[in-house]
Amino acid sequence: MHKTSETFFPFRYCYERNLAVNPQGGNTGLVGGSVPVFDEIILSTVLMNRIISFDKVSGILVCQAGCVLEKLNEYLEEQGFIMPLDLGAKGSCHIGGNVATNAGGLRLLRYGSLRGTVLGLEVVLGDGSALDCLASLRKDNTGYDLKQLFIGSEGTLGVVTAVSILCPQKPKAVNLAFLGCQSFAKVLETFTTCRAMLGEILSAYEFMDEKCMELVERHLKLSSPVTGSPFYVLIETSGSNSTHDEEKLNNFLERAMTSGLVTDGTVATDDKKIKALWSLRERITEALTHDGCVYKYDISLPVGKLYDLVTDTRARLGRSAKNVVGYGHLGDGNLHLNITAESYSHSLLDAIEPFVYEWTARYNGSISAEHGLGFKKKQFIQYSKASEAVFLMQRFKAMLDPKGILNPYKTLPSGS
Protein backbone atom coordinates (compact mmCIF):
# COMPACT_ATOMS: atom_id res chain seq x y z
CA MET A 1 0.00 0.00 0.00
CA HIS A 2 1.61 3.28 -1.03
CA LYS A 3 -1.36 5.65 -0.95
CA THR A 4 -3.84 5.98 1.89
CA SER A 5 -6.71 5.84 -0.60
CA GLU A 6 -5.45 2.41 -1.67
CA THR A 7 -5.74 1.24 1.94
CA PHE A 8 -9.50 1.91 1.98
CA PHE A 9 -10.41 -0.68 -0.64
CA PRO A 10 -8.98 -3.79 1.07
CA PHE A 11 -10.45 -2.64 4.35
CA ARG A 12 -13.89 -2.18 2.85
CA TYR A 13 -13.55 -5.53 1.09
CA CYS A 14 -12.62 -7.25 4.35
CA TYR A 15 -15.30 -5.44 6.32
CA GLU A 16 -18.04 -6.46 3.91
CA ARG A 17 -16.91 -10.11 4.01
CA ASN A 18 -16.06 -10.32 7.75
CA LEU A 19 -12.39 -11.01 7.05
CA ALA A 20 -9.93 -10.27 9.86
CA VAL A 21 -6.98 -7.96 9.14
CA ASN A 22 -3.53 -7.96 10.75
CA PRO A 23 -1.68 -4.64 10.25
CA GLN A 24 2.08 -5.12 9.98
CA GLY A 25 4.96 -2.67 9.79
CA GLY A 26 8.60 -3.55 10.48
CA ASN A 27 7.53 -6.59 12.51
CA THR A 28 10.04 -5.83 15.28
CA GLY A 29 7.61 -6.15 18.21
CA LEU A 30 8.25 -8.53 21.09
CA VAL A 31 4.72 -9.49 22.15
CA GLY A 32 3.21 -10.87 18.93
CA GLY A 33 1.15 -7.78 18.16
CA SER A 34 2.05 -7.75 14.45
CA VAL A 35 1.87 -11.51 13.86
CA PRO A 36 -1.29 -13.27 12.63
CA VAL A 37 -2.74 -15.80 15.07
CA PHE A 38 -4.92 -17.76 12.64
CA ASP A 39 -5.86 -16.81 9.07
CA GLU A 40 -5.93 -13.02 9.28
CA ILE A 41 -5.03 -11.08 6.14
CA ILE A 42 -1.73 -9.20 6.60
CA LEU A 43 -1.91 -5.53 5.65
CA SER A 44 1.69 -4.39 5.22
CA THR A 45 2.59 -0.69 5.35
CA VAL A 46 6.06 -1.27 3.88
CA LEU A 47 5.30 0.67 0.67
CA MET A 48 3.72 3.60 2.53
CA ASN A 49 7.13 5.18 3.00
CA ARG A 50 6.74 8.73 1.70
CA ILE A 51 7.75 11.85 3.60
CA ILE A 52 4.87 14.26 2.98
CA SER A 53 6.31 17.48 4.40
CA PHE A 54 8.77 18.98 6.86
CA ASP A 55 8.62 22.49 8.28
CA LYS A 56 12.09 23.71 9.28
CA VAL A 57 10.68 26.57 11.34
CA SER A 58 8.36 24.51 13.53
CA GLY A 59 10.25 21.20 13.29
CA ILE A 60 7.04 19.34 12.35
CA LEU A 61 7.38 16.27 10.14
CA VAL A 62 4.44 14.68 8.31
CA CYS A 63 5.06 11.25 6.84
CA GLN A 64 3.39 7.97 5.95
CA ALA A 65 3.26 5.13 8.45
CA GLY A 66 5.67 2.83 6.62
CA CYS A 67 8.68 5.15 6.92
CA VAL A 68 11.56 3.40 8.70
CA LEU A 69 12.61 5.25 11.86
CA GLU A 70 16.32 5.33 10.98
CA LYS A 71 15.59 6.68 7.47
CA LEU A 72 13.47 9.45 8.98
CA ASN A 73 16.27 10.34 11.37
CA GLU A 74 18.81 10.45 8.53
CA TYR A 75 16.51 12.73 6.52
CA LEU A 76 16.01 15.04 9.49
CA GLU A 77 19.71 15.20 10.34
CA GLU A 78 20.32 16.70 6.90
CA GLN A 79 17.87 19.43 7.91
CA GLY A 80 19.48 19.95 11.33
CA PHE A 81 16.83 18.00 13.29
CA ILE A 82 16.36 14.51 14.76
CA MET A 83 13.47 12.21 15.57
CA PRO A 84 12.30 12.49 19.20
CA LEU A 85 12.63 8.72 19.69
CA ASP A 86 15.47 6.27 19.19
CA LEU A 87 15.22 2.48 19.43
CA GLY A 88 17.54 -0.47 19.05
CA ALA A 89 15.27 -1.64 16.19
CA LYS A 90 15.45 1.72 14.39
CA GLY A 91 16.87 0.16 11.22
CA SER A 92 13.71 -1.91 10.69
CA CYS A 93 10.80 -0.50 12.70
CA HIS A 94 8.19 1.76 11.07
CA ILE A 95 6.94 5.02 12.55
CA GLY A 96 3.36 3.75 12.26
CA GLY A 97 4.23 0.74 14.40
CA ASN A 98 6.08 2.99 16.85
CA VAL A 99 2.93 5.05 17.26
CA ALA A 100 0.63 2.01 17.41
CA THR A 101 2.70 0.56 20.27
CA ASN A 102 3.57 3.91 21.88
CA ALA A 103 7.24 2.95 21.68
CA GLY A 104 9.55 4.49 24.27
CA GLY A 105 13.25 4.00 23.69
CA LEU A 106 16.47 5.80 24.50
CA ARG A 107 15.46 9.46 24.12
CA LEU A 108 12.27 9.46 26.20
CA LEU A 109 14.05 10.98 29.22
CA ARG A 110 14.86 14.10 27.19
CA TYR A 111 12.01 14.43 24.69
CA GLY A 112 9.09 12.65 26.37
CA SER A 113 6.75 10.00 24.98
CA LEU A 114 4.95 9.84 21.65
CA ARG A 115 1.78 10.91 23.45
CA GLY A 116 3.38 14.35 23.64
CA THR A 117 5.37 14.54 20.40
CA VAL A 118 2.75 13.13 18.00
CA LEU A 119 0.61 16.07 16.91
CA GLY A 120 -1.76 14.30 14.55
CA LEU A 121 -2.66 11.02 12.89
CA GLU A 122 -4.45 9.73 9.84
CA VAL A 123 -6.16 6.44 10.64
CA VAL A 124 -8.15 3.94 8.58
CA LEU A 125 -11.00 2.41 10.57
CA GLY A 126 -12.33 -1.12 10.34
CA ASP A 127 -15.03 -0.26 7.80
CA GLY A 128 -12.51 1.37 5.45
CA SER A 129 -13.39 4.95 6.32
CA ALA A 130 -10.59 7.40 7.03
CA LEU A 131 -10.25 9.53 10.14
CA ASP A 132 -8.23 12.62 9.30
CA CYS A 133 -6.72 14.03 12.48
CA LEU A 134 -3.43 14.83 10.77
CA ALA A 135 -3.01 18.21 12.45
CA SER A 136 0.30 20.05 12.50
CA LEU A 137 -0.53 22.28 15.43
CA ARG A 138 1.15 22.21 18.82
CA LYS A 139 -1.97 23.59 20.46
CA ASP A 140 -5.48 22.48 19.53
CA ASN A 141 -8.07 22.36 22.29
CA THR A 142 -11.19 21.69 20.22
CA GLY A 143 -13.06 18.67 21.50
CA TYR A 144 -11.62 15.29 22.42
CA ASP A 145 -8.03 14.46 21.51
CA LEU A 146 -8.92 11.44 19.35
CA LYS A 147 -5.38 10.63 18.28
CA GLN A 148 -4.61 9.47 21.82
CA LEU A 149 -7.05 6.58 21.36
CA PHE A 150 -4.89 5.14 18.59
CA ILE A 151 -1.46 5.77 20.12
CA GLY A 152 -0.63 2.50 21.88
CA SER A 153 -3.77 0.69 20.66
CA GLU A 154 -1.65 -1.84 18.69
CA GLY A 155 -3.82 -1.65 15.57
CA THR A 156 -6.93 -2.91 17.36
CA LEU A 157 -8.97 0.29 16.91
CA GLY A 158 -7.67 1.50 13.54
CA VAL A 159 -4.60 1.40 11.33
CA VAL A 160 -2.29 4.41 11.42
CA THR A 161 -1.50 5.48 7.85
CA ALA A 162 0.19 8.86 8.40
CA VAL A 163 1.81 10.70 11.30
CA SER A 164 2.50 14.33 12.17
CA ILE A 165 5.29 14.55 14.74
CA LEU A 166 7.26 17.33 16.45
CA CYS A 167 11.01 16.89 16.01
CA PRO A 168 13.73 18.55 18.11
CA GLN A 169 16.77 20.26 16.67
CA LYS A 170 19.88 18.13 16.27
CA PRO A 171 22.22 18.76 19.21
CA LYS A 172 25.48 20.46 18.24
CA ALA A 173 27.38 18.79 21.08
CA VAL A 174 26.97 15.19 22.28
CA ASN A 175 28.98 13.60 25.08
CA LEU A 176 28.80 10.10 26.49
CA ALA A 177 30.02 8.81 29.84
CA PHE A 178 30.22 5.08 30.56
CA LEU A 179 30.66 4.46 34.27
CA GLY A 180 31.00 1.58 36.72
CA CYS A 181 29.07 1.47 40.02
CA GLN A 182 29.50 -0.95 42.93
CA SER A 183 25.79 -1.29 43.83
CA PHE A 184 22.35 -0.45 42.52
CA ALA A 185 21.99 2.07 45.34
CA LYS A 186 25.01 3.87 43.84
CA VAL A 187 23.36 3.72 40.40
CA LEU A 188 20.30 5.49 41.86
CA GLU A 189 22.37 8.09 43.72
CA THR A 190 24.44 8.73 40.59
CA PHE A 191 21.20 9.37 38.68
CA THR A 192 19.96 11.83 41.31
CA THR A 193 23.29 13.66 41.26
CA CYS A 194 23.61 13.80 37.47
CA ARG A 195 20.03 14.99 37.01
CA ALA A 196 20.69 17.82 39.47
CA MET A 197 24.08 18.78 37.98
CA LEU A 198 23.48 18.20 34.26
CA GLY A 199 19.91 19.49 34.15
CA GLU A 200 18.68 20.39 30.69
CA ILE A 201 21.54 18.69 28.78
CA LEU A 202 20.88 15.20 30.21
CA SER A 203 19.41 13.15 27.32
CA ALA A 204 19.83 9.50 28.40
CA TYR A 205 20.55 7.52 31.55
CA GLU A 206 20.77 3.78 30.91
CA PHE A 207 21.91 1.00 33.20
CA MET A 208 22.99 -2.62 32.79
CA ASP A 209 24.20 -5.24 35.23
CA GLU A 210 27.46 -7.20 35.02
CA LYS A 211 25.66 -10.26 33.59
CA CYS A 212 24.64 -8.15 30.57
CA MET A 213 28.22 -7.08 30.07
CA GLU A 214 29.44 -10.68 30.29
CA LEU A 215 26.98 -11.77 27.58
CA VAL A 216 27.84 -8.87 25.25
CA GLU A 217 31.55 -9.62 25.58
CA ARG A 218 31.18 -13.42 25.29
CA HIS A 219 28.70 -13.68 22.42
CA LEU A 220 29.41 -10.52 20.41
CA LYS A 221 33.12 -10.15 21.18
CA LEU A 222 32.65 -6.50 22.14
CA SER A 223 35.09 -5.05 24.64
CA SER A 224 34.27 -2.54 27.36
CA PRO A 225 36.79 0.09 28.46
CA VAL A 226 35.26 -0.16 31.96
CA THR A 227 35.35 -3.54 33.72
CA GLY A 228 35.04 -5.16 37.12
CA SER A 229 31.83 -3.45 38.32
CA PRO A 230 28.51 -5.04 39.32
CA PHE A 231 26.62 -2.28 37.47
CA TYR A 232 27.29 0.06 34.56
CA VAL A 233 25.58 3.31 33.60
CA LEU A 234 25.59 5.14 30.29
CA ILE A 235 24.97 8.87 30.51
CA GLU A 236 24.43 10.99 27.40
CA THR A 237 24.36 14.77 27.26
CA SER A 238 23.07 16.75 24.28
CA GLY A 239 23.32 20.51 23.94
CA SER A 240 24.25 23.45 21.77
CA ASN A 241 27.58 24.48 23.32
CA SER A 242 30.34 21.87 23.64
CA THR A 243 32.44 23.94 26.06
CA HIS A 244 29.49 24.50 28.37
CA ASP A 245 28.37 20.87 28.21
CA GLU A 246 31.84 19.43 28.79
CA GLU A 247 32.35 21.71 31.80
CA LYS A 248 29.07 20.54 33.36
CA LEU A 249 29.85 16.90 32.62
CA ASN A 250 33.37 17.14 34.04
CA ASN A 251 32.07 18.79 37.21
CA PHE A 252 29.56 15.99 37.64
CA LEU A 253 32.16 13.27 37.00
CA GLU A 254 34.54 14.83 39.51
CA ARG A 255 31.76 14.85 42.12
CA ALA A 256 30.76 11.26 41.32
CA MET A 257 34.34 9.95 41.54
CA THR A 258 35.39 11.82 44.70
CA SER A 259 32.20 10.86 46.54
CA GLY A 260 32.61 7.18 45.65
CA LEU A 261 29.42 6.92 43.57
CA VAL A 262 31.46 5.79 40.58
CA THR A 263 34.62 3.66 40.71
CA ASP A 264 35.69 3.75 37.06
CA GLY A 265 34.62 5.37 33.83
CA THR A 266 35.36 6.74 30.38
CA VAL A 267 34.07 9.69 28.33
CA ALA A 268 33.49 9.87 24.57
CA THR A 269 33.03 12.97 22.44
CA ASP A 270 33.75 11.69 18.92
CA ASP A 271 31.12 9.80 16.93
CA LYS A 272 33.08 6.56 16.55
CA LYS A 273 33.69 6.10 20.27
CA ILE A 274 30.14 7.21 21.13
CA LYS A 275 28.70 4.54 18.81
CA ALA A 276 31.04 1.90 20.25
CA LEU A 277 29.88 2.66 23.80
CA TRP A 278 26.20 2.77 22.80
CA SER A 279 26.58 -0.65 21.17
CA LEU A 280 27.40 -2.16 24.60
CA ARG A 281 23.89 -1.17 25.67
CA GLU A 282 21.93 -1.43 22.41
CA ARG A 283 23.18 -4.92 21.50
CA ILE A 284 22.26 -6.63 24.78
CA THR A 285 19.12 -8.04 23.16
CA GLU A 286 21.23 -9.53 20.35
CA ALA A 287 23.66 -11.06 22.86
CA LEU A 288 20.78 -12.66 24.77
CA THR A 289 19.55 -14.47 21.65
CA HIS A 290 22.92 -16.26 21.51
CA ASP A 291 22.53 -17.43 25.11
CA GLY A 292 19.57 -19.77 24.52
CA CYS A 293 15.81 -19.45 24.88
CA VAL A 294 14.94 -15.97 26.16
CA TYR A 295 11.97 -15.02 28.36
CA LYS A 296 11.50 -11.25 28.03
CA TYR A 297 9.74 -8.86 30.40
CA ASP A 298 9.30 -5.11 29.94
CA ILE A 299 8.37 -3.62 33.30
CA SER A 300 7.73 -0.14 34.75
CA LEU A 301 8.37 0.26 38.47
CA PRO A 302 9.15 2.97 41.01
CA VAL A 303 12.84 3.61 40.33
CA GLY A 304 13.94 2.57 43.81
CA LYS A 305 12.42 -0.91 43.34
CA LEU A 306 13.68 -1.45 39.80
CA TYR A 307 16.46 -3.96 40.42
CA ASP A 308 14.78 -5.74 43.35
CA LEU A 309 12.67 -7.64 40.83
CA VAL A 310 15.83 -8.99 39.15
CA THR A 311 17.29 -10.05 42.49
CA ASP A 312 14.07 -11.75 43.62
CA THR A 313 13.58 -13.50 40.27
CA ARG A 314 17.17 -14.74 40.29
CA ALA A 315 16.68 -16.14 43.82
CA ARG A 316 13.36 -17.76 42.88
CA LEU A 317 14.62 -19.50 39.75
CA GLY A 318 18.03 -20.59 41.02
CA ARG A 319 19.74 -23.07 38.72
CA SER A 320 16.63 -23.65 36.58
CA ALA A 321 17.62 -20.48 34.65
CA LYS A 322 20.89 -20.05 32.83
CA ASN A 323 21.04 -16.28 33.31
CA VAL A 324 18.76 -13.64 34.84
CA VAL A 325 19.75 -10.14 33.74
CA GLY A 326 18.44 -6.62 34.19
CA TYR A 327 19.01 -3.49 32.14
CA GLY A 328 16.98 -0.58 30.84
CA HIS A 329 15.97 3.06 30.90
CA LEU A 330 16.50 3.94 34.54
CA GLY A 331 15.57 7.57 33.95
CA ASP A 332 12.07 6.39 32.96
CA GLY A 333 11.73 3.64 35.57
CA ASN A 334 11.74 1.01 32.82
CA LEU A 335 13.35 -2.37 33.47
CA HIS A 336 14.06 -5.03 30.85
CA LEU A 337 14.15 -8.30 32.77
CA ASN A 338 15.47 -11.16 30.65
CA ILE A 339 15.82 -14.81 31.62
CA THR A 340 17.71 -17.34 29.50
CA ALA A 341 17.69 -21.13 29.48
CA GLU A 342 19.25 -23.80 27.29
CA SER A 343 15.83 -24.54 25.77
CA TYR A 344 12.17 -23.70 26.29
CA SER A 345 10.74 -25.13 29.50
CA HIS A 346 7.08 -24.96 30.46
CA SER A 347 7.97 -25.53 34.12
CA LEU A 348 10.38 -22.58 33.99
CA LEU A 349 7.68 -20.40 32.43
CA ASP A 350 5.29 -21.42 35.23
CA ALA A 351 7.92 -20.37 37.77
CA ILE A 352 8.29 -16.96 36.08
CA GLU A 353 4.62 -16.22 35.36
CA PRO A 354 2.56 -14.96 37.05
CA PHE A 355 5.29 -14.34 39.69
CA VAL A 356 6.81 -11.42 37.74
CA TYR A 357 3.38 -9.85 37.14
CA GLU A 358 2.24 -10.30 40.74
CA TRP A 359 5.50 -8.77 41.99
CA THR A 360 5.06 -5.82 39.63
CA ALA A 361 1.43 -5.26 40.66
CA ARG A 362 2.40 -5.33 44.35
CA TYR A 363 4.48 -2.20 43.80
CA ASN A 364 1.94 -0.50 41.48
CA GLY A 365 4.05 -1.03 38.38
CA SER A 366 3.12 -1.81 34.79
CA ILE A 367 3.61 -5.22 33.17
CA SER A 368 4.33 -3.48 29.86
CA ALA A 369 6.33 -0.27 29.91
CA GLU A 370 6.86 0.16 26.16
CA HIS A 371 6.37 -3.12 24.26
CA GLY A 372 2.57 -3.33 24.48
CA LEU A 373 0.47 -6.40 25.31
CA GLY A 374 -0.03 -7.91 21.85
CA PHE A 375 -0.99 -11.58 21.82
CA LYS A 376 1.46 -12.79 24.47
CA LYS A 377 0.47 -10.60 27.40
CA LYS A 378 -3.16 -9.62 26.81
CA GLN A 379 -4.43 -12.07 29.46
CA PHE A 380 -2.35 -10.33 32.13
CA ILE A 381 -3.76 -6.82 31.69
CA GLN A 382 -5.57 -7.05 35.04
CA TYR A 383 -2.23 -6.79 36.85
CA SER A 384 -1.92 -3.21 35.62
CA LYS A 385 -5.47 -2.04 34.86
CA ALA A 386 -8.65 -2.07 36.95
CA SER A 387 -11.60 -4.11 35.67
CA GLU A 388 -13.55 -0.87 35.08
CA ALA A 389 -10.77 0.41 32.81
CA VAL A 390 -10.66 -2.86 30.85
CA PHE A 391 -14.44 -2.76 30.44
CA LEU A 392 -14.25 0.77 29.03
CA MET A 393 -11.53 -0.35 26.61
CA GLN A 394 -13.82 -3.16 25.45
CA ARG A 395 -16.57 -0.61 24.79
CA PHE A 396 -14.21 1.51 22.69
CA LYS A 397 -13.23 -1.60 20.73
CA ALA A 398 -16.87 -2.57 20.13
CA MET A 399 -17.73 0.96 18.94
CA LEU A 400 -14.78 1.44 16.55
CA ASP A 401 -14.51 -2.17 15.38
CA PRO A 402 -18.02 -3.67 15.75
CA LYS A 403 -17.16 -6.76 13.68
CA GLY A 404 -13.94 -7.40 15.60
CA ILE A 405 -11.82 -7.71 12.45
CA LEU A 406 -9.01 -5.30 13.39
CA ASN A 407 -5.97 -7.16 14.70
CA PRO A 408 -8.11 -9.67 16.62
CA TYR A 409 -6.86 -11.69 19.62
CA LYS A 410 -4.53 -8.81 20.65
CA THR A 411 -4.27 -6.32 23.53
CA LEU A 412 -7.57 -7.10 25.29
CA PRO A 413 -8.30 -10.40 27.09
CA SER A 414 -10.05 -13.20 25.19
CA GLY A 415 -13.82 -13.04 25.26
CA SER A 416 -13.83 -9.25 25.05
Side-chain angles (χ1 to χ4, degrees):
M1 308 296 163
H2 51 91
K3 294 179 183 176
T4 302
S5 59
E6 293 178 8
T7 313
F8 302 162
F9 174 74
F11 262 87
R12 290 196 185 109
Y13 182 92
C14 292
Y15 182 78
E16 290 165 1
R17 290 161 180 79
N18 296 327
L19 299 173
V21 175
N22 186 109
Q24 190 175 94
N27 209 18
T28 58
L30 296 172
V31 290
S34 62
V35 181
V37 179
F38 294 111
D39 57 355
E40 301 92 288
I41 295 169
I42 294 176
L43 180 83
S44 173
T45 59
V46 70
L47 295 180
M48 297 185 70
N49 57 5
R50 186 167 61 90
I51 293 172
I52 298 168
S53 66
F54 177 66
D55 187 325
K56 291 185 181 180
V57 177
S58 65
I60 296 171
L61 172 76
V62 182
C63 65
Q64 292 184 314
C67 291
V68 174
L69 180 59
E70 189 171 50
K71 296 294 184 185
L72 289 176
N73 203 68
E74 289 170 357
Y75 167 82
L76 288 169
E77 283 189 340
E78 293 175 359
Q79 320 288 323
F81 288 78
I82 59 171
M83 289 295 286
L85 75 160
D86 185 20
L87 311 171
K90 58 193 167 194
S92 306
C93 65
H94 294 184
I95 187 63
N98 298 153
V99 171
T101 57
N102 189 26
L106 306 166
R107 291 177 180 164
L108 191 139
L109 178 65
R110 175 69 174 271
Y111 301 118
S113 78
L114 288 173
R115 293 200 180 278
T117 54
V118 170
L119 303 179
L121 294 176
E122 179 187 71
V123 180
V124 176
L125 303 177
D127 63 357
S129 60
L131 177 66
D132 185 358
C133 293
L134 200 60
S136 294
L137 302 172
R138 294 194 62 181
K139 300 177 79 172
D140 178 8
N141 205 16
T142 53
Y144 303 127
D145 190 3
L146 294 179
K147 69 176 181 292
Q148 296 295 346
L149 267 179
F150 302 97
I151 298 173
S153 68
E154 303 185 77
T156 61
L157 301 179
V159 178
V160 174
T161 53
V163 179
S164 170
I165 189 166
L166 181 65
C167 303
Q169 284 193 302
K170 181 182 178 181
K172 292 183 173 66
V174 177
N175 298 292
L176 208 66
F178 194 81
L179 312 172
C181 296
Q182 290 303 306
S183 68
F184 190 70
K186 299 286 188 187
V187 171
L188 293 175
E189 201 175 339
T190 302
F191 175 59
T192 304
T193 304
C194 92
R195 189 170 53 179
M197 295 187 70
L198 299 180
E200 78 288 349
I201 66 170
L202 178 62
S203 54
Y205 190 99
E206 301 286 308
F207 91 97
M208 55 193 283
D209 63 19
E210 60 182 339
K211 288 286 186 184
C212 291
M213 184 66 79
E214 287 174 14
L215 294 176
V216 166
E217 290 178 333
R218 184 191 315 152
H219 296 302
L220 305 181
K221 309 304 179 189
L222 300 181
S223 59
S224 171
V226 182
T227 58
S229 296
F231 294 93
Y232 300 91
V233 295
L234 188 152
I235 299 169
E236 183 189 74
T237 65
S238 305
S240 58
N241 186 312
S242 58
T243 304
H244 168 265
D245 294 0
E246 286 175 21
E247 183 182 354
K248 293 187 80 166
L249 182 60
N250 289 333
N251 288 338
F252 156 70
L253 291 172
E254 185 179 351
R255 170 83 65 85
M257 295 293 283
T258 55
S259 62
L261 293 178
V262 171
T263 52
D264 195 6
T266 186
V267 175
T269 54
D270 65 278
D271 284 347
K272 187 177 180 181
K273 191 176 178 184
I274 285 173
K275 286 178 180 177
L277 289 176
W278 262 120
S279 67
L280 293 171
R281 162 63 184 87
E282 288 189 310
R283 296 183 68 186
I284 294 172
T285 300
E286 182 185 348
L288 284 160
T289 62
H290 292 284
D291 203 51
C293 178
V294 189
Y295 302 80
K296 294 176 175 289
Y297 299 90
D298 165 46
I299 305 293
S300 271
L301 284 165
V303 179
K305 302 298 296 182
L306 211 60
Y307 201 74
D308 290 349
L309 176 56
V310 182
T311 305
D312 288 357
T313 303
R314 196 175 281 152
R316 175 180 173 84
L317 300 181
R319 292 192 170 190
S320 61
K322 187 176 178 182
N323 280 297
V324 178
V325 308
Y327 66 99
H329 320 296
L330 188 129
D332 316 328
N334 182 186
L335 169 72
H336 295 308
L337 169 68
N338 283 244
I339 298 141
T340 65
E342 291 294 348
S343 59
Y344 174 80
S345 164
H346 198 73
S347 61
L348 178 58
L349 182 62
D350 286 343
I352 300 169
E353 299 176 10
F355 168 77
V356 167
Y357 302 134
E358 290 171 347
W359 199 103
T360 301
R362 193 180 313 138
Y363 295 102
N364 300 311
S366 169
I367 66 164
S368 179
E370 58 183 5
H371 294 166
L373 294 170
F375 178 71
K376 288 186 176 181
K377 298 186 178 180
K378 60 175 183 171
Q379 295 300 121
F380 301 110
I381 192 173
Q382 75 275 8
Y383 288 105
S384 295
K385 290 290 183 287
S387 57
E388 296 84 358
V390 176
F391 177 65
L392 190 56
M393 292 179 199
Q394 292 167 351
R395 291 177 66 185
F396 280 130
K397 172 72 171 172
M399 178 182 69
L400 292 171
D401 182 24
K403 292 189 175 184
I405 65 170
L406 278 177
N407 214 12
Y409 325 113
K410 315 286 175 59
T411 307
L412 296 177
S414 297
S416 61

